[in-house]
């Protein structure tokens, strides 16, 4: 028999999911970065329930408007259809009601002054509320609390009226936005600007967000948005000098001359600015974004969470009443074609409420042009609305007509209040249009003539709104003209100052103070520590409370096994990692490890988090380590996503250089799902935007018979993404480091080096699978002592240099197979050199090693990977150009897939790649 559960007593239960179907996160007590949410108690008042039962037909009819009224809402500023379609569910006759029948609406609908109204009057009220310039989608939400809260607030919203000064403020913003676009069209007619024409009301959204944030506890806002209207926002509201934009449009760089940067286009610009809003300082951060649509969204979420960690927001602090987003707010703008079309949005939404990725909800606005590049919405998605993806996480959606910036302002108030109340996502779908097509130089009439016939014959959004205010005697036309003229004069003055404008050095400020761009030289950083401290950390990494029920197998192999190895001075891969994490924490740095199943580790080697076998509670041993400066380890087991999760981690890495941020791919080839992030952010963010990051990426790699998809992390692709030179030695200033370490100590030093240095570079670690437990792949205490550091090259300590005739160079796990073969053949005349750092390419260290072998005639690069893969094409030109020696290839043949899928073939190839370098003459 199944046990009966009292659902109402369950912590966090909101009535939607049965307890049987829901598995709670394994730490109701809380771990670093996560605290279980206690939902606010809610019950529909008894008198309301009675009213609904007493007037059930009226209630059903009102609910029909709440569910279907958005279909009749006047939200399209360029609507082809008739204003009122027939929706059978909204016909009061269907509910047995007559037009002049008086009904009691108490407890049924909010925002109605009279208690008794006729059905006809109620129909007018319902149409005004649900079928006006705002359409609301609320009834899909599973939580009755959220639904009732939203209905009450939304049904009362039109009772609010903006003041004269608020209306004038909005009008001024719209006028300036339009004026900015007109000015650019006149002065820079051949430049793509991705202006805000047809969407100017979005500035009313930002105005209201800033004012509400200043009135509340918000101190930081992080924004991710696409190109559309970005320059309007930057120059109109975010204090960006127009001269900076004009300078860029004239073909000049946006950074000072001492910056090592290739720069980017103006529509990718960012801002980090302290805004004075009604006497309160709000730090506003708009992120750089590439042209890959929506890719910036997870980055904005990661940066938001990093700031929340810095301010001890939510579960990062000790105040249990403080939720995430108490002081840092995330905003995201989307395109109408991109939001349903780009998979990263689904990933972001399903990540938004998960432990260790929660940021307390995002306020989203879709700038709905009703057309993609040239594709109308009905050919760009399968759903009714571009916002329908939001329903998957029960987010409320408000569709707003761009011609009504006052309605947008009121809805922004409601969205903000909802996010503050429930700390979850909310969407505004701003229905607008693009006056000039995708980029002002395009002709949209080629493909959408009927649509643009309407657009080109209607007033602009600012002109329409200011005309309304003039008619209402809120402004005069002379005042409108004066605002426009003064703004034009300001822009002309900024244009005249173009040549005298000096780009600002805004980077390496605040939390990045003390950092700098890397130099041309290669620097060496002492990353070693006293082994007594490291041994203490290693023991603490497997300690657990007395009342904790540990898994018996882990007690034997992981806990006891680690303590024994520490005593013997045989440090394996997982222990070295724990020592690196713990030592950085001891020195006050936070560490975050993110990815699929990272707590245990894909290969069941890490076990950085333990789970009580009786209570299901999580325990992270390193977070209970005594002493030190209080750094914390956050283990973020992620959703099954690469692009959004990696973007999130990149966002955390660019915010705070003193935290070690690591993303681990479950298997090395899984990075493919996040290629956009590698191409447009990680490898090029510094050279495009002067945004540095020290993100570490772990990519398990090795040909172990797993066939095509789980053998290779595609080393060749990462090497191709670097800006390493084939003819000149690399310096620290290469864009990205790629290493393939062979020992636990090398891994330890590479992690610590990321934080110890005074510059930040992304680090790609080709991480092992078989080496995690290989008895030969161990390090000794001396490898970690003070004065030790990461070795770009590990020379041969076995061969006699004077006897060596052949030098084999290799990288990573392959070394151990080659060494075993050499020992089996008892060869004394072959040296094996390990290239631990592929990029920067270690010219000096290799030259030092090769100079030992005066009699060597053959130099061979040996790899497991196919000839057109791996490091061969990267190694060959650098070796021959800078080390002045010819080098031969040994490895698999050129292939179309990383590995064969037949076991016997794999065994033959595995044998060949080990024996061939020794047989080459």
């Amino acid at each position: 028999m199944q046990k009966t559960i009292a659902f109402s007593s369950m912590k966090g239960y909101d009535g939607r999911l049965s307890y049987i179907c829901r598995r709670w996160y394994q730490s109701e007590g809380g771990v670093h970065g996560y605290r279980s949410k206690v939902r606010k108690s809610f019950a529909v008042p008894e008198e309301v329930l009675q009213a609904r039962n007493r007037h059930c037909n009226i209630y059903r009819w009102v609910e029909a408007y709440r569910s279907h009224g958005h279909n009749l809402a006047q939200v399209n500023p360029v609507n082809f259809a008739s204003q009122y379609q027939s929706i059978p569910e909204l016909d009061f006759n269907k509910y047995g009601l007559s037009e002049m029948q008086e009904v009691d609406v108490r407890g049924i609908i909010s925002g109605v002054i009279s208690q008794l109204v006729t059905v006809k009057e109620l129909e007018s009220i319902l149409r005004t509320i649900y079928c006006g310039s705002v359409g609301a989608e609320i009834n899909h939400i599973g939580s009755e609390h959220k639904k009732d809260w939203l209905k009450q607030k939304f049904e009362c919203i039109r009772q609010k009226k903006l003041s004269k000064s608020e209306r004038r403020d909005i009008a001024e913003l719209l006028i300036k936005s339009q004026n900015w676009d007109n000015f650019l069209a006149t002065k820079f007619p051949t430049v793509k600007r991705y202006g805000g024409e047809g969407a100017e009301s979005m500035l009313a959204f930002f105005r209201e967000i800033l004012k509400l944030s200043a009135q509340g506890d918000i101190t930081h806002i992080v924004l991710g948005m696409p190109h559309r209207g970005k320059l309007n926002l930057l120059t109109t509201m975010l204090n960006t000098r127009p001269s900076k934009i004009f300078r860029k449009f004239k073909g000049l760089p946006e950074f000072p001359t001492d910056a090592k940067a290739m720069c980017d286009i103006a529509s990718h610009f960012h801002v980090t600015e302290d805004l004075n809003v009604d006497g309160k300082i709000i730090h506003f951060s708009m992120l750089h974004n590439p042209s890959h649509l929506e890719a910036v969204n997870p980055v904005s979420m990661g940066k938001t969470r990093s700031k929340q960690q810095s301010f001890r927001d939510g579960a990062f602090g000790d105040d249990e009443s403080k939720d995430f987003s108490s002081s840092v707010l995330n905003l995201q703008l989307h395109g109408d074609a991109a939001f349903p079309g780009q998979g990263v949005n689904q990933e972001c939404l399903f990540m938004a409420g998960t432990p260790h990725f929660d940021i307390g909800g995002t306020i989203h606005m879709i700038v709905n042009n009703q057309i993609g590049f040239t594709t109308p919405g009905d050919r760009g998605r399968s759903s009714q609305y571009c916002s329908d993806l939001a329903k998957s996480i029960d987010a409320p959606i408000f569709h707003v007509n761009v011609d009504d910036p006052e309605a947008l302002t009121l809805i922004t108030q409601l969205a903000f209040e909802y996010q503050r109340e429930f700390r979850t996502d909310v969407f505004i779908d701003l229905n607008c249009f693009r006056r000039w097509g995708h980029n002002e130089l395009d002709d949209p009439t080629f493909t959408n003539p009927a649509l643009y016939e309407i657009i080109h014959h209607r007033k602009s959004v600012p002109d329409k709104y200011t005309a309304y205010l003039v008619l209402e005697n809120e402004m005069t036309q002379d005042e409108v003209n004066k605002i426009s003229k003064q703004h034009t004069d300001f822009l002309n003055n900024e244009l005249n100052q173009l040549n005298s404008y000096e780009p600002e050095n805004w980077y390496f400020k605040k939390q990045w103070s003390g950092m700098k761009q890397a130099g041309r030289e290669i620097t060496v950083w002492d990353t070693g520590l006293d082994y007594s401290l490291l041994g203490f950390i290693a023991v603490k990494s497997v300690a657990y409370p007395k009342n904790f029920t540990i898994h018996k197998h882990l007690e034997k192999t992981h806990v006891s096994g680690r303590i024994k190895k520490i005593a013997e001075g045989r440090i394996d891969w997982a222990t070295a990692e724990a020592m690196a994490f713990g030592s950085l924490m001891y020195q006050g740095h936070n560490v975050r490890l993110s990815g699929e199943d990272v707590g245990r580790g894909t290969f069941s080697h890490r076990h950085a988090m333990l789970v009580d076998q009786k209570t299901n509670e999580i325990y992270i041993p390193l977070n209970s380590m005594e002493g030190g400066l209080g750094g914390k380890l956050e283990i973020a087991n992620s959703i099954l996503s690469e692009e959004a999760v990696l973007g999130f981690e990149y966002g955390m890495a660019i915010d705070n250089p003193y935290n070690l941020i690591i993303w681990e791919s479950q298997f090395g080839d899984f990075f493919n799902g996040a290629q956009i992030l590698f191409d447009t952010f990680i490898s090029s963010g510094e050279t495009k935007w002067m945004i540095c990051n020290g993100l570490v990426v772990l990519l398990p790699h090795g040909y172990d018979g797993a066939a095509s998809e789980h053998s290779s992390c595609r080393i060749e692709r990462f090497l191709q993404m670097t800006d390493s030179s084939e003819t000149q030695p690399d310096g620290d200033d290469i864009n990205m480091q790629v290493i393939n370490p062979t020992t636990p100590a090398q891994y330890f030093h590479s992690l610590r080096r990321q934080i110890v240095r005074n510059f930040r570079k992304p680090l790609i670690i080709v991480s092992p699978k078989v080496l995690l437990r290989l008895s030969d792949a161990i390090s000794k205490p001396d490898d970690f002592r003070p004065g030790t550091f990461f070795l770009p090259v590990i020379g041969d300590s076995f061969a006699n240099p004077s006897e060596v005739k052949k030098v084999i160079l290799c990288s990573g796990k392959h070394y151990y197979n080659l060494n075993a073969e050499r020992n089996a053949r008892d060869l004394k005349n072959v040296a094996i050199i390990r290239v631990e750092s592929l990029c920067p390419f270690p010219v000096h260290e290799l030259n030092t090693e090769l100079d030992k072998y005066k009699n060597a005639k053959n130099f061979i690069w040996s790899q497991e990977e196919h000839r057109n893969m791996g490091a061969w094409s990267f190694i060959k030109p650098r070796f021959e150009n800078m080390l002045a020696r010819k080098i031969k290839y040994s490895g698999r043949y050129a292939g179309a897939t990383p590995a064969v899928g037949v076991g016997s073939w794999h065994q033959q190839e595995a044998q060949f790649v080990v024996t061939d370098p020794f047989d080459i003459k």
Side-chain angles (χ1 to χ4, degrees):
M1 293 179 64
Q2 194 170 24
K3 183 179 179 181
T4 302
I5 305 293
F7 295 133
S8 59
S9 66
M10 294 307 302
K11 189 175 185 182
Y13 179 72
D14 67 356
R16 184 181 181 204
L17 298 176
S18 75
Y19 176 71
I20 301 300
C21 296
R22 183 159 183 169
R23 179 171 184 254
W24 305 99
Y25 182 64
Q26 299 111 297
S27 184
E28 290 300 290
V31 295
H32 180 67
Y34 169 79
R35 186 184 300 128
S36 59
K37 296 181 180 179
V38 179
R39 304 188 194 275
K40 300 173 183 177
S41 60
F42 171 77
V44 179
E46 184 61 32
E47 62 270 19
V48 173
L49 290 175
Q50 290 176 4
R52 292 175 182 177
N53 290 328
R54 192 165 50 246
H55 307 291
C56 59
N57 284 347
I58 296 295
Y59 179 63
R60 288 171 57 217
W61 184 40
V62 171
E63 280 293 292
Y65 265 93
R66 289 166 174 164
S67 294
H68 304 287
H70 60 87
N71 291 298
L72 295 184
Q74 320 280 298
V75 297
N76 193 343
V78 285
N79 198 4
F80 289 97
S82 60
Q83 292 299 304
Y84 285 100
Q85 304 170 29
S86 175
I87 305 290
E89 289 83 359
L90 303 185
D91 184 355
F92 56 78
N93 291 300
K94 185 175 180 179
Y95 304 92
L97 304 173
S98 58
E99 189 172 83
M100 299 311 296
Q101 178 183 346
E102 278 198 337
V103 293
D104 187 346
V105 295
R106 286 175 298 179
I108 294 178
I109 186 169
S110 304
V112 179
I113 298 174
S114 302
Q115 296 176 358
L116 290 174
V117 295
T118 65
V119 168
K120 184 175 182 180
E121 288 170 334
L122 181 55
E123 182 177 50
S124 177
I125 292 168
L126 290 170
R127 284 189 179 273
T128 299
I129 293 172
Y130 284 102
C131 306
S133 56
V134 179
E137 292 191 90
I138 295 170
N139 268 6
H140 62 277
I141 298 173
S143 165
E144 191 173 19
H145 185 188
K146 291 177 181 178
K147 257 194 305 198
D148 269 39
W149 187 95
L150 283 162
K151 290 169 185 176
Q152 289 183 38
K153 297 286 184 177
F154 183 73
E155 289 168 359
C156 295
I157 201 167
R158 276 302 188 179
Q159 294 177 3
K160 298 180 180 180
K161 298 295 180 184
L162 300 187
S163 67
K164 181 177 180 179
S165 63
E166 288 177 308
R167 288 175 159 188
R168 290 172 66 90
D169 284 350
I170 293 170
E172 184 172 342
L173 288 173
L174 269 57
I175 292 166
K176 288 181 177 179
S177 180
Q178 177 170 268
N179 211 50
W180 166 258
D181 284 324
N182 291 341
F183 187 87
L184 293 185
T186 301
K187 303 297 184 180
F188 302 94
T190 61
V191 174
K192 299 175 183 178
R193 62 181 185 276
Y194 302 98
E197 292 128 314
E200 291 92 344
S201 290
M202 73 166 73
L203 296 187
F205 165 82
F206 285 107
R207 173 191 172 277
E208 195 60 27
I209 288 289
L210 287 169
K211 291 182 73 66
L212 293 167
S213 297
Q215 293 165 13
D217 298 325
I218 299 296
T219 58
H220 286 69
I221 295 175
V222 179
L223 167 67
M225 73 175 290
H227 308 11
R228 173 89 150 116
K230 173 180 273 195
L231 301 184
N232 307 61
L233 177 61
L234 284 171
T235 57
T236 304
M237 297 186 68
L238 302 183
N239 298 343
T240 299
R241 287 277 304 276
S243 292
K244 177 180 180 178
I245 311 298
F246 299 153
R247 175 183 169 88
K248 187 64 182 179
F249 284 169
K250 283 289 188 180
L252 299 172
E254 62 267 28
F255 298 119
T257 55
D258 63 342
K260 291 181 280 188
M262 297 173 68
C263 305
D264 201 0
I265 58 175
S267 56
H268 291 177
F269 277 4
H270 98 306
V271 69
T272 175
E273 185 74 21
D274 289 328
L275 303 176
N276 189 323
V277 184
D278 296 338
K280 180 180 176 180
I281 300 301
I282 302 288
H283 183 78
F284 197 101
S285 179
M286 173 200 287
L287 293 173
H288 290 95
N289 67 303
S291 290
H292 281 75
L293 301 174
E294 309 292 322
V296 74
N297 299 334
V299 179
S300 75
M301 294 169 69
K303 183 165 186 176
T304 299
R305 186 168 171 95
S306 177
K307 290 193 177 298
Q308 290 170 342
Q309 183 173 28
S310 297
F311 301 138
R312 297 179 61 79
D313 207 352
F316 290 121
D318 299 324
D319 185 353
E320 294 197 9
S321 66
K322 195 174 184 181
D323 295 325
F324 277 117
S325 190
S326 291
S327 58
V328 187
L329 176 64
N330 182 242
L331 303 178
Q332 291 178 32
L333 265 65
H334 310 278
D336 56 305
F339 183 70
Q342 297 295 305
V344 69
N345 289 316
Q346 176 182 318
E347 296 178 27
C348 285
L349 293 184
F350 281 87
M351 179 173 66
T354 59
H356 304 290
F357 295 89
D358 185 5
I359 57 172
T362 294
I363 300 177
H364 303 258
M365 185 166 75
I366 301 174
V367 182
N368 187 351
N369 302 310
Q370 307 184 66
I371 190 171
F373 189 177
T374 65
T375 305
D378 62 345
R379 277 163 265 173
R381 61 178 182 270
S382 299
S383 63
Q384 179 180 1
Y385 294 116
C386 63
S387 56
D388 282 338
L389 182 61
K391 295 176 185 175
S392 63
I393 60 164
D394 279 4
I397 305 162
F398 301 101
H399 308 279
V400 185
N401 190 321
V402 73
D403 284 331
D404 194 346
E406 294 181 25
L408 176 59
T409 300
L410 296 173
I411 287 299
T412 302
Q413 292 176 8
L414 176 56
F416 185 89
E417 191 177 351
Y418 176 84
Q419 188 270 341
R420 306 315 292 155
E421 178 71 17
F422 296 104
R423 301 299 164 93
T424 188
D425 293 54
V426 57
F427 279 77
I428 298 172
D429 172 23
L430 182 64
N431 285 256
C432 54
F433 56 91
R434 285 197 312 245
R435 183 166 288 278
W436 303 117
H438 183 64
N439 57 31
E440 293 87 30
L441 306 184
D442 186 42
D443 186 348
T445 63
F446 290 157
T447 51
N448 294 278
L451 175 66
Y452 276 88
E453 178 69 18
I454 297 173
I455 291 173
H456 290 160
H457 286 86
R458 56 152 286 161
K459 282 186 176 181
S460 69
V461 174
D463 287 350
K464 195 169 184 178
Y465 184 59
T466 54
Y468 163 72
L469 293 187
V470 170
L471 188 64
E472 292 284 305
N473 295 318
E474 299 278 356
M475 294 182 77
T476 67
Q477 189 59 48
D478 286 343
E479 288 176 314
V480 172
N481 296 339
K482 183 179 179 181
I483 293 170
S484 180
K485 183 181 184 307
Q486 288 178 339
H487 191 240
T488 300
D489 292 343
F490 164 70
L491 295 178
N492 274 315
N493 183 56
E494 285 286 305
L495 184 60
N496 292 334
Q497 295 184 44
L498 183 152
N499 293 325
S500 62
Y501 172 79
E502 291 293 332
E504 315 97 288
N505 180 343
W506 52 264
Y507 33 90
F508 303 129
K509 307 290 185 184
K510 296 185 177 179
Q511 68 267 36
W512 280 82
S513 296
M515 293 288 139
K516 66 176 187 177
Q517 276 197 288
R520 284 290 304 156
E521 72 284 355
I522 291 287
T523 54
V524 176
W525 299 82
D526 180 359
T527 47
L529 289 169
D530 190 280
Y531 189 71
S532 61
L533 173 61
L534 294 178
F536 164 78
I537 292 169
V539 170
K540 288 298 180 183
S541 72
V542 290
Y544 55 88
K546 289 183 179 180
N547 60 350
F548 188 90
T549 306
I550 194 169
H551 193 285
K552 290 182 179 179
H553 180 71
L554 290 187
E555 169 63 32
K556 178 181 178 180
T557 61
H558 180 66
V559 178
S560 300
R562 176 167 294 181
I563 292 173
K564 180 181 178 182
K565 288 175 184 176
I566 294 165
E568 295 172 349
R570 293 173 54 82
I571 308 305
D572 63 13
W573 211 272
T575 305
E577 179 184 79
M579 293 184 341
F581 290 176
S583 62
L584 289 171
M585 293 163 62
Y586 200 85
Q587 294 171 322
H589 303 283
N590 295 312
V591 178
R592 176 179 164 96
L593 177 63
S594 170
E596 296 149 21
D597 310 300
V598 293
R600 188 201 78 167
T602 297
F603 310 102
S604 196
H605 67 287
R606 178 175 291 122
H607 299 289
M609 53 169 269
L610 304 174
V611 181
D612 190 295
Q613 297 300 293
K614 290 184 178 178
T615 67
N616 224 35
E617 283 283 304
I618 284 177
Y619 181 74
I620 298 177
L622 280 175
N623 283 335
S624 297
M625 180 175 60
E626 303 92 347
L629 299 179
K632 291 293 184 179
L633 171 62
E634 183 171 20
I635 299 293
N637 283 334
S638 75
I639 65 170
L640 192 66
S641 154
E642 284 76 45
E643 184 177 359
V645 172
L646 181 60
F648 193 99
E649 306 311 323
Y650 172 81
M652 293 201 72
I654 62 174
D655 181 66
N656 192 330
Y658 297 101
N659 293 335
L660 179 65
I661 309 299
I662 304 171
W663 177 70
E664 182 175 65
S665 173
Q666 194 167 55
F667 288 91
D669 55 306
F670 281 17
F671 83 90
N672 278 317
Q675 190 66 57
I676 287 172
L677 269 299
F678 285 108
D679 289 344
T680 61
F681 287 98
I682 295 170
S683 67
S684 59
E686 181 179 351
T687 189
K688 288 192 295 189
W689 309 318
M690 287 297 291
I691 296 289
C692 301
N693 82 90
L695 180 67
V696 176
V697 176
L698 304 179
L699 302 176
H701 173 93
Y703 282 58
D704 309 317
S708 295
E709 270 68 55
H710 292 332
S711 294
S712 175
C713 75
R714 295 287 195 170
I715 298 171
E716 65 278 2
R717 295 187 185 174
F718 291 97
L719 293 175
Q720 186 183 41
M721 277 189 275
T722 70
D723 57 359
S724 170
S725 171
E726 292 185 359
T727 57
Q728 298 293 325
D730 294 330
D732 286 335
D733 59 348
I734 47 90
N735 66 321
M736 194 164 59
Q737 311 158 95
V738 182
I739 68 171
N740 193 359
T742 58
T743 72
Q746 286 284 84
Y747 179 46
F748 168 90
H749 289 301
S750 69
L751 292 179
R752 285 188 48 80
R753 184 177 65 168
Q754 285 296 98
I755 295 297
V756 169
R757 293 190 295 199
N758 62 354
F759 61 88
R760 294 291 177 263
K761 291 287 182 179
L763 172 62
I764 309 299
I765 299 181
V766 180
S767 63
K769 293 182 285 187
V770 299
L771 297 192
L772 298 175
R773 293 181 176 83
L774 186 68
S775 59
D776 289 340
I778 57 97
S779 295
K780 298 179 180 179
D782 279 352
D783 299 328
F784 302 91
R785 71 181 187 277
T788 56
F789 48 86
F790 177 80
L791 300 171
V793 172
I794 297 180
D796 193 312
S797 59
F798 175 79
N800 185 337
S802 62
E803 297 180 12
V804 168
K805 298 292 191 292
K806 178 185 293 185
V807 176
I808 299 173
L809 297 98
C810 64
S811 188
K813 159 246 185 184
H814 188 46
Y815 162 75
Y816 292 95
N817 293 328
L818 292 174
N819 191 46
E821 179 69 14
R822 180 178 61 174
N823 291 340
R825 296 189 184 201
D826 194 25
L827 297 175
K828 301 289 194 285
N829 61 348
V830 177
I832 304 176
I833 296 176
R834 288 175 265 178
V835 183
E836 302 281 292
S837 171
L838 296 169
C839 183
F841 186 67
V843 174
H844 173 73
E845 292 83 358
L846 276 174
N847 201 49
T848 300
E849 288 298 320
L850 294 176
D851 280 348
K852 296 177 182 178
Y853 308 110
K854 305 297 184 182
N855 299 319
K857 303 298 181 183
N858 280 336
F859 300 92
I860 297 167
W861 174 257
S862 178
Q863 66 179 37
E864 286 190 299
E865 299 83 14
H866 290 272
R867 188 183 185 110
N868 55 319
M869 303 172 196
W872 165 242
S873 59
F874 182 86
I875 293 290
K876 184 179 189 298
R878 287 161 181 79
F879 189 90
E880 295 185 348
N881 291 340
M882 289 183 277
L883 296 171
R885 297 168 174 88
K886 290 291 184 182
I887 190 168
K888 298 176 182 178
Y889 170 79
S890 177
R892 284 174 167 84
Y893 51 89
T897 67
V900 296
V902 177
S904 59
W905 297 353
H906 166 74
Q907 292 299 328
Q908 292 171 11
E909 290 184 1
Q911 181 67 21
F912 171 77
V913 297
V914 170
T915 58
D916 182 63
F918 296 99
D919 296 336
I920 292 176
K921 303 299 184 183

